Structure formats: C-alpha cells, structure tokens
C-alpha cells in the first residue's frame, strides 16, 4: 500500500514570519491526520523556521528547488546539502521553473541525482501545456519527461521518488483536470512509463501525485482514484483550513483514518 503524500507548494509566497504564523494555524490539525504524509514547501528563506517549528513531528519540509553542484561560485543558488540540512523533500522541475527559468529535462535529471545523493526525496514535476493537450500530444510529452527524469537512476532510486503530474493548464486556473483525466495520466501514462522502464514492482511502489487547482471541494474525488497517491497543492495550501481539508479528504478517500 502506497502512503498518500500531500504537499503544499507555497511558491513565492510568505515571508519567514508569515510562514511561521501559517504553520501555527494548521500544525495541530495536520498532525491529527496521521495516515497520510504531510509536507510543507515554503520559500527558501522560510525553510529553517518552518523546519524548526515542525521538528520532531510527522510533518515534513520540502524545498522548491536546488542546484546540482555541491558548492562554489554559483551566485544565488542553493546546494543540495544546504537543502538537506532542513528538508526531507525537494520539488524538482516544476513547470514554473521550466517555463520562467529555462530548466530543461537534462537539468531536471541532474537535480534529481544531486538530491538523491544527499538523501532528499525528489518530487519530480511533469505536465503538458494547453497547446500540447489540444494537439493531442499529452501522452508522448509526459512519457518523454518521465523517461528523461529517470535517466541513469537505479530501479531502487526510482521506486523512492514522488512524481507530480501537474497539467500546466490546470495550475492556478481553478480548472482542475477531472478525476478521470488525472487518473488516466497518473496511471496509464506516468505509472505505465515507469513500468516499461523499471518494471512493475517499481511502478507499483512509486507515488504519483496530481497537482493543478486541487482544493477542498475537489480533493475527495481526485484522491479517491487508485493511481493518484496524493496531491501537490499550490494556492489552496496557503489557506490553513483549505489545506487541512484536502489532507483530511485524501485520508478519507483512501479509506484511512
Ligand atoms: P495550484 O494548486 O495553485 O493550481 O498550483 C499547483 C501547483 O503548481 C503546485 O505545485
């Protein structure tokens, strides 16, 4: 049984002080939902404070990115071991980084390897744009992104990853994929590609999240799908009651307490 993973990607929102306030408003309720994994991904400057606030609890912390080099003259970047000092997870290859910061599949692959080397669990984002979807190229695009991300990894490493399927047209638009659409891509495209590359056991072990306009009102239906193992939540994760409700819905949808 795969343990569902619910992660809040706060993106470029919340100062350190605001982040602490937000965690304080939802910490107890998040801790009460023990059956699913709960991850908070604040912006870098809030990571240490959030990490201290949840230290010793089951709430985990994730960064939103890292750089693949170990150290050196890379102004503005954050090294893997700096992230690992405070975080257990790291989001890699988010569509916003691919779009606005020119991250390529090759760069995503390097970041995944660098994260694994320091014991971080990568949450690897894949997803098609609206135009690719309209051209009927969703499947081939996602297969390409997944294969490129996994290049050179061992089966064991792949089994421990989290893949987030986030259709770009659903991010921040309020237009989530339907539960059936999300399930189809998470299962028949993402998980099937992993089965083709690494075998069935790895495909059954890896967790595949859905992301894109997940909110309290649609979480139960999305999370009820068997190939969807949780969510990567953007906007709704900035609202304590929304995020808590999504986390509770995911546990309920999977028949967990
Ligand atoms: P929204 O939930 O705001 O659509 O964002 C999804 C996302 O990009 C999470 O990484």
């Amino acid at each position: 049984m795969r343990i569902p993973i619910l992660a809040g990607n706060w993106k470029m929102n919340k100062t350190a002080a605001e982040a602490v306030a937000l965690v304080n408003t939802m910490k107890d309720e998040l801790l009460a939902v023990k059956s699913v994994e709960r991850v908070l991904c604040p912006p870098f400057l809030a990571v240490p404070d959030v990490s201290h606030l949840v230290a010793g609890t089951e709430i985990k912390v994730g960064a939103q990115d890292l750089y693949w080099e170990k150290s050196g003259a890379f102004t503005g970047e954050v090294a893997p071991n700096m992230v690992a000092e405070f975080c257990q997870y790291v989001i890699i290859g988010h569509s916003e980084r691919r779009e606005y910061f020119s991250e390529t599949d090759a760069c995503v692959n390097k970041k995944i390897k660098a994260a694994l080397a320091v014991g971080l669990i990568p949450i690897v984002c894949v997803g098609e744009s609206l135009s690719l979807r309209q051209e009927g190229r969703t499947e081939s695009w996602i297969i390409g992104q997944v294969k490129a991300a996994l290049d050179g990894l061992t089966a064991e490493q792949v089994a421990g990853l989290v893949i987030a399927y986030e259709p770009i047209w659903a991010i921040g638009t309020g237009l989530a994929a339907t539960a059936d659409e999300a399930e189809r891509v998470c299962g028949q495209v993402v998980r099937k590609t992993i089965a083709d590359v690494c075998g069935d056991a790895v495909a059954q072990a890896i967790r595949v999240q859905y992301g894109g306009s997940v909110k309290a009102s649609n979480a139960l239906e999305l999370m009820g799908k068997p190939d969807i193992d949780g969510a990567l939540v953007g906007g709704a994760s900035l609202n304590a009651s929304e995020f808590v409700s999504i986390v509770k819905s995911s546990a309920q949808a999977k028949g967990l307490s």
Side-chain angles (χ1 to χ4, degrees):
M1 163 98 199
R2 298 182 296 266
I3 298 170
I5 171 165
L6 280 295
N9 175 9
W10 295 1
K11 307 191 180 184
M12 198 176 73
N13 296 288
K14 304 293 172 190
T15 62
E18 289 165 350
V20 166
L22 178 59
V23 176
N24 278 328
T25 58
M26 60 182 169
K27 190 177 159 192
D28 290 346
E29 284 190 283
L30 285 181
L31 285 172
V33 192
K34 294 192 171 303
S35 53
V36 304
E37 212 165 340
R38 293 132 289 167
V39 185
L40 303 176
C41 305
F44 274 126
L45 285 175
V47 160
D49 283 349
V50 169
S51 149
H52 290 133
L53 213 54
V54 301
T57 77
E58 288 173 356
I59 298 174
K60 313 261 174 63
V61 180
Q64 299 173 14
D65 187 26
L66 48 53
Y67 193 53
W68 61 77
E69 292 287 352
K70 288 195 177 84
S71 64
F74 302 101
T75 301
E77 293 298 313
V78 179
N81 69 338
M82 299 173 186
V83 175
E85 193 176 356
F86 297 103
C87 298
Q88 297 77 41
Y89 286 89
V90 58
I91 298 170
I92 295 178
H94 192 281
S95 59
E96 287 147 18
R97 297 219 54 87
R98 295 181 192 252
E99 183 179 350
Y100 306 131
F101 304 98
S102 309
E103 290 203 2
T104 62
D105 280 339
C107 152
V108 169
N109 179 255
K110 280 195 217 179
K111 290 186 173 188
I112 293 170
K113 288 173 177 161
L116 290 169
V118 295
L120 288 163
I121 301 176
I123 298 175
V124 182
C125 301
V126 298
E128 82 286 4
S129 63
L130 183 59
S131 58
L132 285 165
R133 179 179 191 234
Q134 286 167 339
E135 291 160 20
R137 292 170 57 203
T138 296
E139 197 155 320
S140 58
W141 182 259
I142 302 291
I143 291 171
Q145 283 188 321
V146 171
K147 285 189 173 167
L150 306 186
D151 188 47
L153 302 188
T154 66
E156 197 186 351
Q157 286 175 322
V158 175
L161 299 177
V162 177
I163 309 268
Y165 167 56
E166 298 205 309
I168 296 168
W169 47 267
I171 295 177
T173 58
L175 298 170
T178 65
D180 286 341
E181 270 177 297
E183 167 72 358
R184 189 185 72 80
V185 179
C186 288
Q188 290 168 40
V189 184
V190 175
R191 205 178 299 284
K192 174 159 187 315
T193 303
I194 290 159
D196 292 344
V197 177
C198 302
D200 274 336
V202 172
Q204 287 311 311
I206 193 169
R207 291 180 292 177
V208 183
Q209 295 175 309
Y210 167 76
S213 296
V214 175
K215 42 197 174 216
S217 58
N218 59 18
L220 192 63
E221 198 189 354
L222 284 160
M223 297 303 119
K225 295 292 179 184
D227 272 312
I228 301 180
D229 305 313
L232 185 54
V233 185
S237 72
L238 295 165
N239 178 309
S241 64
E242 277 279 316
F243 190 60
V244 166
S245 167
I246 291 166
V247 170
K248 284 182 181 164
S249 293
S250 70
Q252 190 190 336
K254 300 292 184 198
L256 306 163
S257 59

